[in-house]
Amino acid sequence: MLKVGVIGCGGMGKDHIQRITQRIQGARVTAVSDVWEESAKKAAELAGGAKVYASGKDLMQDPGVEAVLIVSPGFAHCDDLLEAIRLGKRVFCEKPLCTTAKDCQKVMEAEIAGGRHLIQLGFMRRYHKGYIQIKDAIATGEYGQPLMMHCTHRNPQVGTNYDTPMAVHDTVIHEIDLCHWLVDDDYESVQVILPKVTKYSHRELKDPQIMLMRTKSGICIDVECFVNCRFGYDINCEVVCEDGALKMGMPMAPSIRKNAALSTEITTDCFVLFKDAYDAELQNWVDCAQKDVIEGPTAWDGYLAAVTADALVKAQETGRIEQVVTVEKPDFYQ
Ligand code: ISE
């Protein structure tokens, strides 16, 4: 039984605690920490009585914590990640790895210096059946080389604190990771096109946006990001290859004939759409602890996402094509 400490007991932290306690095999939550004591205490109850600590550093000293889940705000990740690496504890870290590319690099370097793969990043969409089917189909070689990808990422609505850069950091960050994983390629350049703004947006948010990404081998990806689309949480992905086009089966719901109409439900909630993916990613992390490997997204993926996101935010401002300049991918992550 893997003994897990959870750092950060907000909504997502509690969600993961319930997941581990109720649905994941082979793990239990033995300790929790949060800057808000009340939050930590409530989370400890959800886990069926875990120890409560005031900080991630204290929690990691507990010998009853073999592995940690970092679910605190992004700005707090770097220090806890470095401490976990120093102590040799396995980590599942929610996105982002760190808030700056420089900090992501520091974490990669520390992990490489330690010589063991310890960090899995929470890009859970890689565990969604629809994307896995597309990746597997590409790998058969039957459809030739991928040339283009068309994605949509639509939310019914967002809060008034959601602004233009958040379309990159909060939303398209998923496609940034997914697309390079699907075609096993890294990014070369990006551009953002800003269409007419919807009446449902506000001054600080340009919505919708079209984000373009070109990979090193020349695959062109377009992502429509529309976070006030009103009609649902609508996620689509099509990979156009030389000998065929692969479109993800979405929505995963029956089409219903009734009252002289044909309809298919679209959920409005990302946690409903990706529930199974969240469960599968954590189960995989727990299972991998037995084998001392990491199969999911790594610190390299976190670094690449951070550099690509920075370039996209710059492109939102300049309207120009911006280069994605990374260090060379270390052998450790090949
Ligand atoms: C949110 O944080 C997510 O991760 C959702 O998948 C995304 O659709 C949404 O825009 C984000 O705010």
Side-chain angles (χ1 to χ4, degrees), residues 222-237:
D222 55 90
V223 185
E224 174 204 306
C225 173
F226 188 12
V227 293
N228 284 291
C229 81
R230 282 321 198 246
F231 59 79
Y233 186 73
D234 187 32
I235 305 295
N236 298 285
C237 174

Side-chain angles (χ1 to χ4, degrees), residues 95 153 155 170-171 174 233 270:
K95 68 173 175 69
H153 191 150
N155 291 184
D170 244 46
T171 302
H174 288 292
Y233 186 73
C270 62

Side-chain angles (χ1 to χ4, degrees), residues 95 124-125 153-155 157-158 162 166-167 169-175 225 227 233 235 270-271 274 278:
K95 68 173 175 69
M124 85 302 177
R125 284 207 195 170
H153 191 150
R154 301 180 181 132
N155 291 184
Q157 64 190 80
V158 288
Y162 185 111
M166 282 176 78
H169 289 300
D170 244 46
T171 302
V172 175
I173 197 77
H174 288 292
E175 277 76 15
C225 173
V227 293
Y233 186 73
I235 305 295
C270 62
F271 291 104
F274 291 116
Y278 278 112

Side-chain angles (χ1 to χ4, degrees), residues 153-224:
H153 191 150
R154 301 180 181 132
N155 291 184
Q157 64 190 80
V158 288
T160 46
N161 62 341
Y162 185 111
D163 59 11
T164 300
M166 282 176 78
V168 174
H169 289 300
D170 244 46
T171 302
V172 175
I173 197 77
H174 288 292
E175 277 76 15
I176 292 176
D177 179 64
L178 262 176
C179 293
H180 98 96
W181 170 73
L182 280 173
V183 297
D184 198 13
D185 200 354
D186 291 342
Y187 298 111
E188 181 189 275
S189 63
V190 298
Q191 190 183 2
V192 179
I193 292 172
L194 299 172
K196 186 171 172 176
V197 175
T198 168
K199 65 180 175 189
Y200 295 113
S201 194
H202 56 88
R203 264 192 37 182
E204 303 302 321
L205 173 61
K206 301 263 196 292
D207 184 43
Q209 303 182 29
I210 299 168
M211 302 196 195
L212 306 173
M213 305 188 280
R214 176 188 277 274
T215 70
K216 289 190 169 149
S217 77
I219 301 168
C220 287
I221 301 161
D222 55 90
V223 185
E224 174 204 306

Side-chain angles (χ1 to χ4, degrees), residues 40-281:
K41 281 185 178 161
K42 277 195 190 130
E45 273 171 39
L46 282 179
K51 284 194 197 162
V52 173
Y53 290 97
S55 75
K57 265 210 166 112
D58 294 342
L59 175 142
M60 282 188 267
Q61 298 305 321
D62 185 335
V65 170
E66 294 166 330
V68 285
L69 223 83
I70 299 182
V71 207
S72 49
F75 65 81
H77 289 184
C78 189
D79 287 348
D80 284 339
L81 283 165
L82 293 173
E83 181 66 1
I85 293 169
R86 196 180 69 76
L87 296 170
K89 301 211 181 197
R90 295 171 62 82
V91 184
F92 178 92
C93 179
E94 266 306 332
K95 68 173 175 69
L97 184 65
C98 306
T99 45
T100 66
K102 217 171 171 194
D103 280 351
C104 292
Q105 211 175 325
K106 243 196 248 173
V107 169
M108 272 201 305
E109 281 162 7
E111 194 181 31
I112 294 170
R116 267 178 77 204
H117 286 275
L118 291 173
I119 300 170
Q120 174 169 335
L121 194 57
F123 282 129
M124 85 302 177
R125 284 207 195 170
R126 292 189 186 195
Y127 292 87
H128 177 71
K129 202 171 169 191
Y131 289 114
I132 293 171
Q133 286 170 339
I134 293 201
K135 185 156 173 76
D136 289 349
I138 295 171
T140 62
E142 208 176 309
Y143 308 100
Q145 290 291 317
L147 307 172
M148 294 177 282
M149 295 174 72
H150 309 300
C151 306
T152 61
H153 191 150
R154 301 180 181 132
N155 291 184
Q157 64 190 80
V158 288
T160 46
N161 62 341
Y162 185 111
D163 59 11
T164 300
M166 282 176 78
V168 174
H169 289 300
D170 244 46
T171 302
V172 175
I173 197 77
H174 288 292
E175 277 76 15
I176 292 176
D177 179 64
L178 262 176
C179 293
H180 98 96
W181 170 73
L182 280 173
V183 297
D184 198 13
D185 200 354
D186 291 342
Y187 298 111
E188 181 189 275
S189 63
V190 298
Q191 190 183 2
V192 179
I193 292 172
L194 299 172
K196 186 171 172 176
V197 175
T198 168
K199 65 180 175 189
Y200 295 113
S201 194
H202 56 88
R203 264 192 37 182
E204 303 302 321
L205 173 61
K206 301 263 196 292
D207 184 43
Q209 303 182 29
I210 299 168
M211 302 196 195
L212 306 173
M213 305 188 280
R214 176 188 277 274
T215 70
K216 289 190 169 149
S217 77
I219 301 168
C220 287
I221 301 161
D222 55 90
V223 185
E224 174 204 306
C225 173
F226 188 12
V227 293
N228 284 291
C229 81
R230 282 321 198 246
F231 59 79
Y233 186 73
D234 187 32
I235 305 295
N236 298 285
C237 174
E238 182 180 26
V239 183
V240 183
C241 304
E242 294 165 311
D243 293 307
L246 311 163
K247 191 164 186 166
M248 185 163 68
M250 188 71 97
M252 296 181 107
S255 59
I256 295 172
R257 288 163 166 81
K258 194 179 175 192
N259 296 337
L262 180 62
S263 64
T264 308
E265 187 195 339
I266 301 174
T267 181
T268 53
D269 185 341
C270 62
F271 291 104
V272 171
L273 186 61
F274 291 116
K275 176 180 170 289
D276 292 350
Y278 278 112
D279 287 359
E281 69 167 351

